[in-house]
């Protein structure tokens, strides 16, 4: 029984295979419509979500399975003091696979240690978000045709942005990736990621506070929201929240084949006048999330279109 807690739980070959399956699902939707018949996904979301929870649920429904769960800690017995471990043990009684989001780093890992079914980390605090990374990789591969030899800029809250941490970790395993880290000084990438992931893998990188200066070099721009919920000081959040606002005008200096990604939700960091620019890929990216989660659910349940089975 296998879980996905960190993107490194999957080899590069396994990631590539999941992306291949996601591409096949996009091309042949009907083929997958009954693969998870009789299976149930539990979505245990202790923290708010729109895309991750809904795309997991849509993924399971499109595979012919069913979904149960909760969308807030307040509507579960966590509000009465039940532990993550006990909540997980209960979900195992009722479901075949669990997707868990939690504000505390490591909570899905704890769940995976007591679970008798696969656990997927759907985002844990400021730590990791591996299924967002699969989403991002699928989007980049479909748009660029490759996962190597490009320059990617990460802009915004690189300190608390778990999607950034996971995607940098994933890209470090591909050839010819150059990383541009764009953030205010207060929201720089944590030094352990810079050292353990970027420097130790010999990845070329630069760090700057100036988005406009580096924009012309980028093949991929990964914008992020300043993560209000991780700040201790409201005053500090207000001071930093509008550090970067991408506008249509600023894109005049960018490459014609740039792709702009954002895990969403956005607040102010991408002006709505960018949305109809052909380089804006963030809504398509959210759609990719459903297909790659379908591929992941099948993989973790050991199910394939030609190997239908019911519990
Ligand atoms: N990208 C992402 O994790 O979005 P949600 O918080 O809406 O799930």
């Amino acid at each position: 029984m296998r879980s996905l807690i960190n993107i490194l739980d999957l080899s590069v070959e396994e990631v590539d295979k999941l992306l291949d399956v996601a591409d096949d699902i996009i091309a042949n939707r009907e083929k997958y419509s009954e693969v998870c018949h009789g299976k149930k996904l539990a979505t245990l979301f202790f923290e708010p979500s729109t895309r991750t929870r809904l795309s997991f649920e849509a993924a399971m429904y499109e595979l012919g399975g069913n979904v149960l769960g909760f969308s807030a800690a307040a509507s579960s017995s966590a509000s009465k003091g039940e532990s993550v471990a006990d909540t997980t043990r209960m979900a195992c009684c009722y479901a075949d696979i669990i997707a868990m989001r939690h504000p505390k780093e490591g909570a899905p890992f704890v769940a995976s240690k007591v679970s008798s079914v696969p656990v997927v980390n759907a985002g844990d605090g400021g730590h990791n978000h591996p299924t967002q990374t699969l989403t991002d990789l699928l989007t980049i591969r479909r748009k660029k045709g490759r996962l190597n030899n490009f320059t990617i800029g990460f802009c915004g809250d690189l300190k608390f942005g778990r999607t950034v941490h996971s995607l940098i970790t994933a890209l470090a395993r591909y050839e010819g990736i150059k990383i541009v880290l764009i953030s205010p000084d207060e929201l720089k990438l944590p030094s352990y990621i810079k050292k353990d992931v970027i420097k130790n893998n010999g990845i070329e990188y630069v760090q700057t506070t100036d988005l406009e200066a580096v924009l012309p070099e980028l093949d991929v721009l990964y914008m992020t929201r300043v993560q209000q919920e991780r700040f201790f000081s409201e005053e500090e959040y207000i001071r930093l929240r509008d550090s970067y606002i991408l506008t249509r005008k600023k894109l005049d200096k960018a490459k014609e084949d740039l792709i702009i990604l954002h895990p969403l939700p956005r607040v102010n960091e991408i002006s709505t006048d960018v949305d109809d620019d052909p380089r804006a890929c963030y809504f398509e990216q959210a759609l990719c999330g459903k297909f790659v989660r379908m591929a992941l659910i099948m993989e973790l349940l050991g199910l394939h279109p030609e190997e239908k089975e019911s519990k």
Side-chain angles (χ1 to χ4, degrees), residues 126-311:
H127 197 209
N128 281 310
H129 195 345
T131 63
Q132 180 65 47
T133 299
L134 293 171
T135 301
D136 302 338
L137 294 175
L138 180 64
T139 312
I140 294 170
R141 200 176 79 164
R142 286 179 69 81
K143 288 285 165 189
K144 289 281 175 198
R146 64 186 191 281
L147 286 175
N148 52 23
N149 299 312
F150 59 77
T151 299
I152 179 167
F154 290 92
C155 179
D157 185 348
L158 310 190
K159 179 179 179 183
F160 296 118
R162 59 192 173 198
T163 65
V164 170
H165 305 163
S166 287
L167 183 54
I168 288 177
T169 303
L171 288 174
R173 300 190 291 183
Y174 293 87
E175 292 293 317
I177 300 295
K178 182 176 171 188
I179 291 176
V180 183
L181 302 169
I182 309 147
S183 74
D185 286 338
E186 296 86 343
L187 297 177
K188 280 182 180 166
L189 192 73
S191 53
Y192 79 92
I193 299 177
K194 211 181 318 166
K195 178 172 172 291
D196 297 348
V197 181
I198 296 184
K199 290 184 181 167
N200 278 358
N201 284 295
I203 296 178
E204 196 180 336
Y205 81 100
V206 292
Q207 200 160 338
T208 179
T209 56
D210 190 345
L211 171 61
E212 284 174 74
V214 294
L215 199 46
E217 299 167 29
L218 305 180
D219 302 301
V220 180
L221 172 59
Y222 195 94
M223 294 296 293
T224 63
R225 172 180 68 93
V226 175
Q227 306 272 302
Q228 179 177 13
E229 61 275 35
R230 317 267 177 241
F231 275 72
F232 290 111
S233 152
E234 177 72 7
E235 202 175 282
E236 179 86 335
Y237 166 69
I238 290 168
R239 190 172 64 77
L240 293 170
R241 66 181 173 189
D242 291 331
S243 297
Y244 301 99
I245 299 177
L246 185 67
T247 60
R248 187 78 173 239
K249 182 87 189 91
K250 287 179 188 165
L251 282 172
D252 287 348
K253 297 175 187 161
K255 289 183 182 176
E256 283 299 310
D257 64 349
L258 170 74
I259 61 170
I260 304 162
L261 303 182
H262 190 313
L264 304 178
R266 74 169 149 189
V267 185
N268 284 330
E269 57 279 2
I270 301 180
S271 166
T272 53
D273 70 0
V274 176
D275 293 354
D276 57 3
D277 188 296
R279 292 168 286 191
C281 300
Y282 29 90
F283 296 125
E284 204 175 327
Q285 181 185 1
L287 178 60
C288 281
K290 179 180 69 173
F291 298 117
V292 88
R293 289 180 176 108
M294 289 173 75
L296 180 68
I297 290 169
M298 287 194 299
E299 176 64 25
L300 293 179
L301 290 178
L303 297 173
H304 308 280
E306 53 286 348
E307 294 173 28
K308 287 183 199 171
E309 61 177 25
S310 57
K311 200 171 181 182

Side-chain angles (χ1 to χ4, degrees), residues 7-26:
I7 193 65
L8 296 180
D9 294 338
L10 297 167
S11 67
V12 172
E13 292 71 27
E14 287 171 321
V15 168
D16 291 344
K17 188 180 144 207
L18 283 172
L19 304 189
D20 290 345
V21 173
D23 279 334
D24 192 57
I25 292 168
I26 292 167

Side-chain angles (χ1 to χ4, degrees), residues 48-53 101 129 132 263-265:
S49 167
T50 295
R51 276 144 295 276
T52 310
R53 188 172 65 83
R101 169 168 292 189
H129 195 345
Q132 180 65 47
L264 304 178

